[in-house]
Amino acid sequence: MLRHPRRLLAAALALSAGAAGLVLAGTADAATTLGASAAEKGRYFGAAIAAGRLGDATYTRLLTTEFTSVTPENEMKWDATEPQQGRFTFTNGDRILNQGLSNGSKVRGHALLWHAQQPGWAQSLSGSALRTAAINHVTQVATHYRGKIYAWDVVNEAFADGGSGGRRDSNLQRTGNDWIEAAFRAARAADPGAKLCYNDYNTDGINAKSTGIYTMVRDFKARGVPIDCVGFQSHLGTGVDSTYQANLQRFADLGVDVQITELDVAQGANQANIYATVTRACLAVARCTGITVWGIRDTDSWRTGDNPLLFDGSGNRKAAYTSVLNALNAGGTTTPTSSPTSTPTSVPSAGCSATVSLNSWNGGYVATVRVRAGSSAVNGWTVTVALPGGSALTGVWSATGSGTSGTVSFGNVAYNGQIPAGGSTEFGFQGTGSGPTATPACRAS
Ligand code: 9MR
């Protein structure tokens, strides 16, 4: 039951990186896993995973060796997390979270509000009772996972298919057109460190639906509604729209990150090529921060019979896998920049280096810092950041902080002090005023 148009690949995409960004040369020693190769390009490579499959040894081997981000396929949805109104169950969501964090991966939260997979009690609500319940849901779930989630799909699939470019009818939409911005504001208040995304399908090119979303994002940015990223699900058939990359770029140009969030491609003669085309498009857009495939093996996929993933049912690498890895390893890409104030990645030598990317709004900011080991492994690190005058630190995650204004220092916590040679980890902090603009200093202990 695919809901996207199947178009043949009309022409190869022009892959010149039009956006500003550092052009990196290819490396002589090509990385041998998806995650490591994407990391060399400053991006993550993730998979949607299911708690029920974590006992499968082949599955977890592939998960922990190949992927650097996880998305719960169903475990953080409304029906899973709030089966009865006001009673929250996070057991399976936490299993996915802990699986990801213990592997040093990012965790994408999916999804706070959606017209589908609502618990029965929510389906039967309407009007202000539903609005209040929905915003409470966003607040409670985002608060539970506060500081742990890299990016939340705050709202999923709220736009209609077809040519209208308008909203999908749903019980949530009938509470008022402002339900989406209310959800984003509640999510920001509950977890200021998470990137907040809008996520949808059939947006894999410039079309009426993606333009409707583009118009909403532009309006949100103009009015200061907190939105940081747009997810392009990319459930693809036997072709990919020739405007795929241009579409990502036009969203990035609005000042949001873009992410490929649910990639899978029908098995067929074009499968490997389409995977490579999508991968290259992400690498060519500086603000495309990562790619997630919607499952690991073909037998794990929601698209029964389509064999749309990178590993076959036995866990063997398919041609599509090789094609993605080769595309990731190919030289020449733009370094992702999460905001115009991001500092370029420095070439690591021995010791460590750190880069910061900012999400800023009027009066505050959230900073995400990536700490990279150089040519030797790091066993403990300290990062020093100069805050501008008037800026005060209000929170830190995945690090210990010292000082709240002027020059502040951050040290590793127990689980992220050891970084293998060439590897990296992340921590973050938030504050009032303006965020730091200078490159932080990093010292390995
Ligand atoms: O892969 C998910 C499948 O296990 C569920 O049964 C289904 C229920 O709607 O949702 C699937 O995931 C969807 C995702 O949450 C949102 N985008 C479309 C995905 C595929 O249907």
Side-chain angles (χ1 to χ4, degrees):
M1 184 208 63
L2 271 186
R3 299 164 296 187
H4 55 79
R6 295 168 190 251
R7 295 193 186 92
L8 287 174
L9 178 60
L13 291 179
L15 292 169
S16 62
L22 187 69
V23 176
L24 299 175
T27 51
D29 299 316
T32 54
T33 66
L34 300 169
S37 184
E40 285 183 349
K41 302 292 150 66
R43 289 162 172 84
Y44 65 85
F45 203 97
I49 60 170
R53 288 193 161 87
L54 292 177
D56 178 325
T58 305
Y59 187 83
T60 49
R61 174 179 58 79
L62 293 173
L63 171 59
T64 54
T65 54
E66 294 285 350
F67 297 99
T68 51
S69 173
V70 296
T71 305
E73 190 172 352
N74 290 297
E75 291 78 351
M76 290 187 192
K77 291 173 179 173
W78 200 349
D79 60 350
T81 51
E82 196 181 359
Q84 294 172 278
Q85 188 166 14
R87 297 220 173 158
F88 291 85
T89 55
F90 293 114
T91 314
N92 284 328
D94 288 356
R95 288 178 69 194
I96 304 282
L97 179 87
N98 292 330
Q99 169 70 41
L101 294 184
S102 66
N103 197 38
S105 294
K106 290 186 185 330
V107 181
R108 291 195 83 263
H110 175 83
L112 292 171
L113 291 181
W114 188 21
H115 65 274
Q117 283 182 280
Q118 294 181 1
W121 63 264
Q123 291 175 38
S124 62
L125 290 183
S126 62
S128 61
L130 175 61
R131 172 68 72 95
T132 304
I135 297 304
N136 182 55
H137 179 76
V138 170
T139 300
Q140 298 300 327
V141 177
T143 298
H144 176 79
Y145 289 112
R146 180 186 173 101
K148 311 272 178 49
I149 299 290
Y150 163 68
W152 262 115
D153 291 331
V154 178
V155 170
N156 193 41
E157 303 179 4
F159 276 71
D161 290 313
S164 76
R167 299 283 182 86
R168 168 195 299 279
D169 178 48
S170 72
N171 59 347
L172 289 164
Q173 182 61 29
R174 289 191 291 271
T175 70
N177 208 48
D178 62 340
W179 73 276
I180 297 182
E181 61 193 83
F184 275 82
R185 288 200 166 97
R188 175 71 93 222
D191 186 358
K195 289 182 186 289
L196 305 182
C197 302
Y198 176 81
N199 188 51
D200 216 326
Y201 67 93
N202 273 356
T203 53
D204 316 304
I206 296 175
N207 57 38
K209 186 172 177 181
S210 64
T211 298
I213 296 164
Y214 175 87
T215 305
M216 177 187 77
V217 174
R218 190 175 56 189
D219 170 57
F220 279 13
K221 294 298 280 184
R223 290 191 296 114
V225 177
I227 184 166
D228 307 307
C229 38
V230 176
F232 298 82
Q233 293 186 9
S234 307
H235 295 294
L236 299 176
T238 53
V240 59
D241 196 289
S242 61
T243 59
Y244 188 92
Q245 181 185 321
N247 189 46
L248 299 183
Q249 187 65 58
R250 71 170 173 157
F251 278 86
D253 290 344
L254 290 176
V256 289
D257 289 350
V258 295
Q259 298 166 1
I260 315 304
T261 50
E262 304 185 13
L263 180 62
D264 52 18
V265 182
Q267 180 91 63
N270 272 336
Q271 187 180 49
N273 284 337
I274 293 169
Y275 264 110
T277 299
V278 170
T279 304
R280 286 193 295 257
C282 180
L283 292 180
V285 174
R287 294 195 69 148
C288 182
T289 59
I291 298 174
T292 297
V293 288
W294 205 244
I296 296 181
R297 302 164 300 195
D298 285 337
T299 42
D300 304 317
S301 173
W302 68 293
R303 291 169 65 171
T304 313
D306 265 357
N307 296 324
L309 293 171
L310 300 178
F311 296 90
D312 69 18
S314 306
N316 300 310
R317 297 169 171 188
K318 294 167 56 181
Y321 172 96
T322 309
S323 136
V324 169
L325 187 64
N326 288 345
L328 288 169
N329 280 334
T333 181
T334 52
T335 304
T337 52
S338 282
S339 78
T341 50
S342 294
T343 50
T345 306
S346 51
V347 178
S349 55
C352 59
S353 61
T355 52
V356 64
S357 61
L358 287 179
N359 271 320
S360 303
W361 59 93
N362 196 7
Y365 65 90
V366 168
T368 306
V369 184
R370 179 156 288 277
V371 183
R372 288 188 168 79
S375 49
S376 311
V378 163
N379 190 12
W381 46 262
T382 306
V383 169
T384 309
V385 181
L387 299 180
S391 171
L393 217 63
T394 55
V396 182
W397 56 95
S398 300
T400 56
S402 153
T404 55
S405 61
T407 299
V408 291
S409 300
F410 304 92
N412 62 275
V413 287
Y415 65 83
N416 64 10
Q418 296 186 320
I419 312 174
S424 68
T425 189
E426 249 179 22
F427 72 93
F429 58 91
Q430 66 194 81
T432 54
S434 322
T437 51
T439 305
C442 187
R443 185 167 50 79
S445 36

